[in-house]
Amino acid sequence: MQIHHLSEGNSVLNHFLGQIRNVNVQHDSMRFRRNIERIGEIMAYELSKELHYKNIEIQTPLGIKKTTEINDQLVLCSILRAGLPLHMGFLNYFDSAENGFISAYRHHPNNDYFFDILVEYKAIPDINHKNLLLIDPMLATGQSIVAVFNKLMENATPKEIHIAVVIAAPEGIAHLEKHLPDNCHLWIATLDEKLNEKNYIVPGLGDAGDLAYGNKL
């Protein structure tokens, strides 16, 4: 799996990452959503460098200009509900992409730290021979992304597979490397230290879905 780590150098990306983590800023849910969206826009720009392009000519008011345009069919698929603001950031740049949505959540059958992943909802277009961009803000254990990936791959063969996350833990990356094909691209805005005993990312930012849309039962 090819890993693209985007925050290793100084850029405005780190400015937005700092704001979504900051407890004095992140309580503003509208600002939190917008910052996640802006991170998605930056990630979309960086990811666009790996896409395929074709040469075209366009008519301007004063003449003809040779340029290029994306030659890939893109499908953006986000994991509900936390992935929605990040999805919008990608869609702002890849505005002609098709869109899909899928659910995944941690199910604690014994009311303890053990959990499995339930995938109960899927609404996605045909992804055969297209570039699939799987979008989720947090890569903790990696189990959700693997479960969603396996569900999406039932009777489907994308041309390319890109996974985009804002914050990743080393344990989650290792899980993806073990269970996903080698030709996948993993895009991470930043890499954190570890998971805690509850499998939450440290230092992380908390629950991205709750911060964006309010606490759930």
Side-chain angles (χ1 to χ4, degrees):
M1 183 168 62
Q2 186 171 348
I3 300 173
H4 309 264
H5 185 183
L6 302 181
S7 67
E8 292 179 306
N10 288 326
S11 79
V12 71
L13 174 63
N14 291 327
H15 177 81
F16 297 139
L17 287 168
Q19 289 194 356
I20 64 171
R21 294 181 190 272
N22 190 332
V23 294
N24 296 314
V25 178
Q26 63 176 203
H27 67 275
D28 183 339
S29 59
M30 184 172 68
R31 187 172 180 183
F32 181 84
R33 291 193 302 271
R34 181 64 183 113
N35 280 333
I36 291 286
E37 185 177 342
R38 290 192 283 193
I39 290 169
E41 291 171 347
I42 295 170
M43 296 184 74
Y45 168 74
E46 295 294 341
L47 189 152
S48 74
K49 299 174 185 178
E50 295 292 323
L51 300 178
H52 301 91
Y53 292 79
K54 64 181 179 182
N55 296 319
I56 61 169
E57 291 184 349
I58 57 173
Q59 177 71 57
T60 79
L62 300 175
I64 301 295
K65 174 61 179 176
K66 293 181 179 181
T67 186
T68 60
E69 68 178 12
I70 294 173
N71 196 33
D72 291 316
Q73 291 180 282
L74 305 180
V75 178
L76 310 180
C77 182
S78 60
I79 300 177
L80 299 173
R81 63 181 168 152
L84 291 175
L86 190 62
H87 186 115
M88 285 306 303
F90 276 86
L91 188 58
N92 288 343
Y93 276 30
F94 301 137
D95 54 343
S96 61
E98 296 178 274
N99 296 271
F101 304 92
I102 192 165
S103 70
Y105 66 92
R106 295 182 179 187
H107 174 240
H108 298 264
N110 304 317
N111 294 319
D112 56 17
Y113 293 162
F114 171 79
F115 64 88
D116 51 18
I117 302 297
L118 298 184
V119 179
E120 296 183 339
Y121 173 83
K122 180 178 75 169
I124 188 160
D126 180 14
I127 60 175
N128 282 299
H129 313 299
K130 300 174 184 177
N131 286 21
L132 174 65
L133 277 61
L134 182 55
I135 298 165
D136 196 27
M138 308 294 282
L139 172 57
T141 67
Q143 293 179 50
S144 293
I145 287 179
V146 170
V148 164
F149 176 86
N150 290 335
K151 187 69 174 179
L152 294 175
M153 292 305 107
E154 293 176 354
N155 304 313
T157 306
K159 176 184 174 183
E160 292 184 2
I161 300 164
H162 297 265
I163 298 167
V165 302
V166 176
I167 300 176
E171 296 91 334
I173 293 176
H175 190 73
L176 297 194
E177 289 180 318
K178 181 178 179 181
H179 293 282
L180 297 188
D182 291 339
N183 62 349
C184 286
H185 290 258
L186 174 62
W187 299 82
I188 62 173
T190 192
L191 177 65
D192 272 11
E193 297 172 10
K194 61 181 181 179
L195 299 179
N196 65 13
E197 68 280 359
K198 295 183 179 180
N199 287 313
Y200 291 125
I201 300 175
V202 178
L205 52 73
D207 188 293
D210 288 353
L211 289 166
Y213 298 111
N215 295 333
K216 57 186 177 295
L217 293 176

